[in-house]
Amino acid sequence: MTGHTELAKRFGTPSYVYDLDRVAKARDDLFAALPDEVELFYAAKANPHPEILREMRAGDGRVCRAEISSTGELTAVLQAGFDGADVLYTGPGKTEEELTEALTQGVRLFSVESLGDLRRIGETAVRLGVTADCLLRVNNATGAAVTSIRMTGVPSQFGFDSETLPALAPELRDVPGTAIAGLHFFPLSNAKDEASLIAEFRHTIATAAALQKQLGVPFRLVDIGGGFAAPYAVRGERPVYTDLRDNLAAALDEHFPGWREGAPRIACESGRYLVSGSGTLLIGVVNVKESRGRRFLILDGGINTFGGMSGLGRIMPVSVEPDEARGEAGVPASLVGPLCTPGDVLGRDVALPDIAPGDVLTIPNAGSYGPTASLLMFLGRPAPAELVVRGEELVSVSRIQHIRTYEHGQAL
């Protein structure tokens, strides 16, 4: 691949570099870790760059479907070659306008968070003369992976509480314009280890089978979620799961004997695992400052460039190193961005070699939750460049633009 230093000189900083070969390898590794019959949804929120979306559908083997939660993401995946039938539309706040757009574009599969959500989908579908297949998202009361980031089991805007779902069955089955197609789970994120991931999938599959009996609906699709781990903004390699395939198949054989013939179809979903390792963020050093015994490296990109997880309180620390080899680490420093807010911090007490203005730092495993998950509009600074490579080939260079549009002549 073209060197980072050369790319930084040609296109400036801050810049993201995405390697499509690494995207393809992560996609193929994850498919290899899943039984052949299991489908995979790519969570577009992780990185909706057009080249990455297209890569999810590339290759000679299995390809991803798309999981989205906005009409903006819908436009992106359709432009990248996905069909409306490839799409799962999720999210707790789907409006009538969004649903109209999605159904008009051929989307027929929706994750449903509540009875009100289901009714709104049904009303829109009836108006358009179609039927929407709906997966009931489940907020499970219990889980199996106690060492990972839990996504269920607490009061939440996401999903039906599992303990109340059976009592709602008559109402859920009787919403015009909808058909209950199955269930949607997302019980954990970034599983600590393969054993935790397997345990959670086993628990989810058992729960799904029990709910199928209680609801009295033969499921056509069960999305058992994700939880696949990958380092984010720190050095390291994503795991390759060697035991998941057989364990997942065994659990499905036990609880859904017809799954291999598609009764029901089984799906997983992933975002960060598929794209985090493909990206490197290049950030330039603007200034080095000492203040009351502390050292600050002032960078040309901060939470406006790499702020998605910071805004969610889930970043720190990051791994940062000079793009070119240096000596031993020196005085620890705080890594701060260019914004006029003390919250613009990417790292504290980071030990680095002697750094000077004009140097370029790199953050590894930054292919997910980058520009579109950051405070791009704050202070009106330019968005970072996004450089896509494949091997030695520079595939594309792009930058998100901020554009304000006006609607004239509208009564207020």
Side-chain angles (χ1 to χ4, degrees):
M1 184 183 73
T2 304
H4 290 153
T5 299
E6 179 186 340
L7 290 173
K9 288 178 179 177
R10 287 180 62 187
F11 302 106
T13 56
S15 293
Y16 282 87
V17 182
Y18 307 130
D19 187 340
L20 294 179
D21 284 343
R22 293 183 67 85
V23 174
K25 185 65 166 64
R27 180 200 64 213
D28 294 346
D29 281 351
L30 189 50
F31 269 125
L34 299 171
D36 291 345
E37 298 85 354
V38 173
E39 301 172 20
L40 182 61
F41 286 95
Y42 171 58
K45 62 179 175 289
N47 191 329
H49 192 286
E51 302 287 359
I52 287 178
L53 290 172
R54 281 192 282 270
E55 191 63 32
M56 293 302 168
R57 292 187 53 75
D60 298 326
R62 297 151 75 187
V63 298
C64 295
R65 300 176 69 183
E67 183 263 304
I68 64 168
S69 56
S70 72
T71 52
E73 288 185 342
L74 175 60
T75 297
V77 301
L78 293 177
Q79 290 178 346
F82 289 85
D83 188 85
D86 298 326
V87 173
L88 168 62
Y89 204 116
T90 70
K94 297 181 282 291
T95 66
E96 182 181 349
E97 290 77 16
E98 289 178 67
L99 293 168
T100 299
E101 176 68 15
L103 289 165
T104 300
Q105 294 292 343
V107 178
R108 292 294 181 268
L109 184 62
F110 296 84
S111 176
V112 177
E113 313 280 0
S114 65
L115 183 56
D117 192 24
L118 181 65
R119 286 172 173 162
R120 185 174 297 107
I121 293 170
E123 289 167 1
T124 308
V126 167
R127 179 168 53 80
L128 295 174
V130 299
T131 299
D133 284 334
C134 295
L135 303 181
L136 306 179
R137 180 162 175 173
V138 179
N139 180 3
N140 214 351
T142 60
V146 297
T147 59
S148 303
I149 301 173
R150 293 224 54 82
M151 302 293 287
T152 55
V154 297
S156 173
Q157 70 268 45
F158 299 111
F160 293 84
D161 296 340
S162 57
E163 64 273 24
T164 66
L165 189 53
L168 292 172
E171 290 180 272
L172 296 170
R173 292 194 300 260
D174 198 32
V175 176
T178 69
I180 303 304
L183 300 178
H184 179 202
F185 294 82
F186 198 85
L188 81 164
S189 177
N190 206 35
K192 285 287 186 181
D193 51 47
E194 188 169 17
S196 297
L197 184 65
I198 290 170
E200 192 63 45
F201 277 141
R202 283 184 172 277
H203 182 71
T204 294
I205 291 165
T207 300
L211 285 172
Q212 179 173 241
K213 293 179 181 178
Q214 293 169 345
L215 291 171
V217 177
F219 295 156
R220 288 177 281 132
L221 175 64
V222 177
D223 182 342
I224 59 176
F228 309 105
Y232 175 70
V234 294
R235 286 182 287 272
E237 295 294 325
R238 58 179 172 76
V240 174
Y241 297 113
T242 56
D243 298 327
L244 177 60
R245 183 187 181 96
D246 289 343
N247 279 275
L248 196 53
L252 290 167
D253 284 339
E254 178 182 356
H255 294 286
F256 289 102
W259 74 278
R260 295 179 189 271
E261 290 74 44
R265 291 162 31 230
I266 304 297
C268 291
E269 58 191 79
S270 180
R272 178 165 63 177
Y273 184 92
L274 293 171
V275 294
S276 183
S278 71
T280 303
L281 175 58
L282 314 180
I283 305 184
V285 179
V286 177
N287 196 14
V288 180
K289 178 186 176 182
E290 302 287 338
S291 176
R292 292 177 176 158
R294 292 183 59 193
R295 186 175 181 228
F296 293 84
L297 300 186
I298 301 171
L299 312 175
D300 58 14
I303 58 176
N304 62 313
T305 298
F306 193 58
M309 295 296 99
S310 178
L312 297 174
R314 290 172 58 188
I315 193 171
M316 308 283 186
V318 295
S319 292
V320 179
E321 55 191 35
D323 187 48
E324 297 180 327
R326 300 290 178 84
E328 296 296 320
V331 179
S334 291
L335 307 177
V336 300
L339 306 183
C340 295
T341 170
D344 191 14
V345 180
L346 292 184
R348 295 185 175 92
D349 298 322
V350 179
L352 287 167
D354 240 356
I355 298 295
D359 287 341
V360 174
L361 304 181
T362 64
I363 297 178
N365 291 314
S368 58
Y369 302 108
T372 56
S374 301
L375 303 179
L376 281 181
M377 292 290 290
F378 190 47
L379 292 183
R381 298 184 68 88
E386 295 178 272
L387 319 176
V388 180
V389 301
R390 189 191 299 277
E392 296 297 321
E393 176 192 3
L394 180 61
V395 176
S396 71
V397 179
S398 63
R399 190 187 304 270
I400 297 171
Q401 298 290 337
H402 312 317
I403 300 175
R404 185 185 301 276
T405 60
Y406 290 88
E407 296 183 12
H408 297 285
Q410 299 296 315
L412 299 179

